[in-house]
Amino acid sequence: MKTAFVRTPVLTALCLALLGGSAPGSILPALRPPHAVLQLDVQAETDKALDQALRARSPEPFVHLRQRLRLADASQARYWHGYVALHESIYYLQQNDRKRAEQVVENGLKQLQEPAPQRAEDYALLAHLQSFAIQFRHGMAAALAAAKVKSNAERALKLDARNLRAYYVLASNDFYTPARYGGGKKTEGYLLKALAQPDQSAAGAQGPSWGREQTYELLVRFYHREQKPALAQKYYAEARRRYPSSTTLAELGKALEQPAAAYN
């Protein structure tokens, strides 16, 4: 990964912009507290960074985003560093660089676990990253990782019974567990519970709100796999009304035209 080199005047301007300042030569305003940086909507910026990185075939958008996060409150920045790591790992997978993808997601996992999580959202994201990282595990290691996913998602729900993302992670973990190991039996229930929850448990919270679109996508895939086309189409139509510009859902629509994949 390249390290961005920025000349001092440009760096100064960038820092002032992030802190609510102005260009060199003007009157400097009072600096805003570090946590105000999170008002930049890290979730949306991360999604944008992934799109930019894929288009440019360069990880630089993630480098710049992490630089901005350095100014954020440590307890919240840790969460968002994990979220960024997940998307950067997806980028490297798209570039067929599995080694780098694994390194990035492992770094994200380390940040989320040191120190130990305290909040429901931290446990939900930790479980999500652990679930994503299972593709880099084999045999017993994969089984143990799946058990950790379930444990941490359940911890999130003990702290916040209305956490949409924890229900989604439990559903995903169950969906991808092979049928011969008992997978698929709880997927539908978890997904429907997820859809019944608010995007955020606390009104007006400056926290994550991801998970609903992913829940719709997985629910449609589940019904398609279970050969329940009416339900698959019902929730697909509902998802498209909510997220009309989603490229993921557009691709899912094409998948619905194909026979369901075998489930082992």
Side-chain angles (χ1 to χ4, degrees):
M1 181 188 303
K2 296 180 179 179
T3 301
F5 175 80
V6 186
R7 294 180 182 275
T8 302
V10 177
L11 180 59
T12 302
L14 174 61
C15 291
L16 289 172
L18 289 174
L19 294 170
S22 53
S26 61
I27 299 175
L28 296 179
L31 297 181
R32 295 188 296 179
H35 70 269
V37 177
L38 289 181
Q39 302 295 327
L40 61 87
D41 192 345
V42 184
Q43 185 174 305
E45 290 295 323
T46 303
D47 296 339
K48 185 187 300 182
L50 177 58
D51 181 65
Q52 292 172 339
L54 290 172
R55 290 176 182 274
R57 301 188 69 178
S58 167
E60 285 301 310
F62 295 110
V63 175
H64 297 316
L65 185 53
R66 283 197 301 271
Q67 289 174 342
R68 299 171 77 181
L69 280 173
R70 290 174 184 169
L71 299 173
D73 174 78
S75 63
Q76 301 231 10
R78 183 173 70 140
Y79 178 95
W80 291 114
H81 274 297
Y83 188 78
V84 171
L86 172 66
H87 288 71
E88 186 173 5
S89 183
I90 292 172
Y91 161 75
Y92 281 114
L93 283 178
Q94 291 290 319
Q95 303 305 310
N96 296 314
D97 189 345
R98 288 183 59 83
K99 181 178 180 180
R100 186 59 178 149
E102 182 178 5
Q103 290 174 340
V104 169
V105 79
E106 290 297 337
N107 286 338
L109 285 169
K110 183 177 181 180
Q111 286 182 308
L112 285 171
Q113 294 178 94
E114 298 177 2
Q118 299 294 324
R119 305 176 305 172
E121 292 295 358
D122 294 332
Y123 275 113
L125 181 61
L126 174 59
H128 190 32
L129 262 70
Q130 288 172 328
S131 179
F132 180 82
I134 288 177
Q135 63 190 297
F136 304 115
R137 311 280 192 266
H138 303 283
M140 185 56 69
L144 292 173
K148 288 182 180 180
V149 170
K150 185 174 184 292
S151 175
N152 284 319
E154 289 176 343
R155 286 183 182 181
L157 289 175
K158 286 181 179 179
L159 293 170
D160 177 10
R162 304 184 70 193
N163 193 287
L164 180 159
R165 285 157 288 284
Y167 281 118
Y168 165 72
V169 173
L170 284 170
S172 178
N173 193 47
D174 187 69
F175 179 83
Y176 289 108
T177 298
R180 63 180 180 275
Y181 298 128
K185 296 179 180 179
K186 297 182 178 180
T187 303
E188 181 182 22
Y190 284 140
L191 290 171
L192 293 177
K193 283 184 178 180
L195 290 181
Q197 309 311 315
D199 288 347
Q200 295 173 313
S201 299
Q206 292 295 325
S209 61
W210 61 269
R212 189 169 302 279
E213 181 181 345
Q214 294 93 329
T215 297
Y216 272 115
E217 179 191 357
L218 191 59
L219 186 58
V220 172
R221 291 189 183 279
F222 172 77
Y223 284 134
H224 181 54
R225 190 179 72 182
E226 297 299 307
Q227 299 182 15
K228 297 180 179 180
L231 286 171
Q233 289 295 339
K234 171 189 173 181
Y235 284 100
Y236 178 71
E238 188 175 316
R240 290 295 282 166
R241 285 194 296 271
R242 281 180 171 268
Y243 308 101
S245 61
S246 170
T247 55
T248 300
L249 291 174
E251 289 298 318
L252 179 57
K254 298 176 183 178
L256 292 178
E257 300 172 0
Q258 306 298 322
Y263 182 42
N264 300 316

